[in-house]
Amino acid sequence: MAEGSRNEPAMDARRFAALAQAYGGDLRRWPEAERMAGTVFAASDAGEAILRQAGTLDALLDSYRVDAPDKALHSSILQAAGRHLVQRRRQWFWWLGLGLAGIGLAGAVAGLALVTIVTPEVQPDHYVLDTDVTAFGDPGPDAENGEENL
Amino acid sequence: MAADPDEELVRRVGAGEPAAVQTLVARKLPRILALAVRMLGDAAEAEDVAQETFVRIWRHAASWRRGNARFDSWIHRVTLNLCYDRLRRRREWVTGDLPDVADPAPLPDAHSEEEAHRVERALQAIAPRQREAIVLVYYQEMSNIEAAATLQISVDALESLLARGRRSLQAILAEDGADE
């Protein structure tokens, strides 16, 4: 029910009428902070008249009732909830699988990088020098001439 | 800020507990449906809105965090937005007056039945913002502070909407009564 917007303890006819016009004749709907002062004023002749007038519309509003939800609607909403839960679990497992695959991939890459860094480059046990190659790996300046001279 | 009575239940719904889902539907469906029926004046459309509201609840429950509004205020806002979408769509199609509601067959409680129809028609005839305010405070029994937060307006603005709405209803119902 209503809670307070104003805190003044006393109430005049004008404010009482304004509240009745807004919230109706049932003081339980009024702002909480003004309910007590409203109850006191309601005992007066003016208060009674204002509430009686507001109560006429309240009685009409009360006549408009809405049927409770039927079982079919209730079941349909629960079925939709069930479908949503299943879908969410599937999504969760999909993301979990993707996460695990990602972790696995990241591990493999990290392992490969570690092996590359830590392991020294493999050098051949012996190195056979070509006759055309110098100790620096290039054919010597007189390589062509050498062949021609042969 | 006072504790939100739905917070723990929503957390359990977000965690996927079937029992919590059932409790939430049992607790909120009547309120959501009643709000939509009174906003739209159409039971079938209101059921669609209620279903859509719950789809949004399931989608957001896991990530829902209480900000300035309670969970109940949040679902009221969601429902009202869905109602507004439908009211807008309706305006695009309907250019004339609201369709007449067929008179029900005479029943033992025909008088109260007719009275309810009059109120329903009158509610549909007033401005949607005024209707929202009256439905939230009068029928949904929200406090003025909760209703103002749901409508994202001040309490004074809410009081103004309520007073204007009730005056409009009184005028329509008085005219309606005089015609009969």
Side-chain angles (χ1 to χ4, degrees), chain B residues 16-53:
Chain B
E17 279 184 40
V21 167
Q22 288 195 351
T23 306
L24 189 76
V25 174
R27 191 185 288 181
K28 298 298 177 188
L29 177 57
R31 282 175 69 69
I32 291 171
L33 186 67
L35 173 64
V37 166
R38 290 188 174 113
M39 280 304 295
L40 296 169
D42 183 310
E45 268 198 296
E47 288 196 358
D48 290 345
V49 164
Q51 299 206 42
E52 286 177 48
T53 302

Side-chain angles (χ1 to χ4, degrees), chain A residues 1-6 15 18-25 29-32 34 53-70 73-74 76-78 80-82 84-85 88-89, chain B residues 13-16 18 21-22 25-26 29-30 33-34 37-38 41 47 50-51 54 58-59 62 112 115-116 118-120 123 134 137-139 141-145 155-156 158-159 162-163 166-167 169-170 173:
Chain A
M1 288 284 164
E3 290 163 32
S5 62
R6 293 172 176 83
R15 178 64 186 152
L19 286 167
Q21 272 181 348
Y23 298 99
R29 289 197 178 86
W30 287 28
E32 199 178 351
E34 294 180 283
Q53 197 183 0
T56 310
L57 180 61
D58 290 350
L60 281 170
L61 290 174
D62 282 342
S63 71
Y64 180 24
R65 296 181 189 281
V66 173
D67 292 337
D70 61 25
L73 177 65
H74 199 273
S76 159
I77 288 170
L78 286 177
H84 180 82
L85 283 178
R88 221 178 60 191
R89 273 194 206 112
Chain B
V13 169
V21 167
Q22 288 195 351
V25 174
L29 177 57
L33 186 67
V37 166
R38 290 188 174 113
E47 288 196 358
Q51 299 206 42
F54 274 98
W58 309 141
R59 217 179 278 162
S112 60
E115 219 166 58
R118 280 176 60 209
V119 175
E120 184 184 355
L123 261 177
I134 288 175
V137 172
Y138 198 91
Y139 291 110
E141 299 193 331
M142 275 189 166
S143 75
N144 56 347
I145 292 170
V155 168
D156 286 341
L158 173 80
E159 278 183 14
L162 286 169
R166 283 177 65 96
R167 268 201 301 274
L169 281 177
Q170 255 163 343
L173 288 166

Side-chain angles (χ1 to χ4, degrees), chain B residues 117-178:
Chain B
H117 279 301
R118 280 176 60 209
V119 175
E120 184 184 355
R121 283 198 299 266
L123 261 177
Q124 294 305 310
I126 64 173
R129 286 295 270 180
Q130 295 172 9
R131 182 159 74 238
E132 269 184 311
I134 288 175
V135 170
L136 291 183
V137 172
Y138 198 91
Y139 291 110
Q140 301 296 106
E141 299 193 331
M142 275 189 166
S143 75
N144 56 347
I145 292 170
E146 284 168 347
T150 303
L151 297 179
Q152 295 165 332
I153 55 174
S154 68
V155 168
D156 286 341
L158 173 80
E159 278 183 14
S160 169
L161 275 177
L162 286 169
R164 280 185 286 140
R166 283 177 65 96
R167 268 201 301 274
S168 303
L169 281 177
Q170 255 163 343
I172 294 166
L173 288 166
E175 196 181 325
D176 195 18

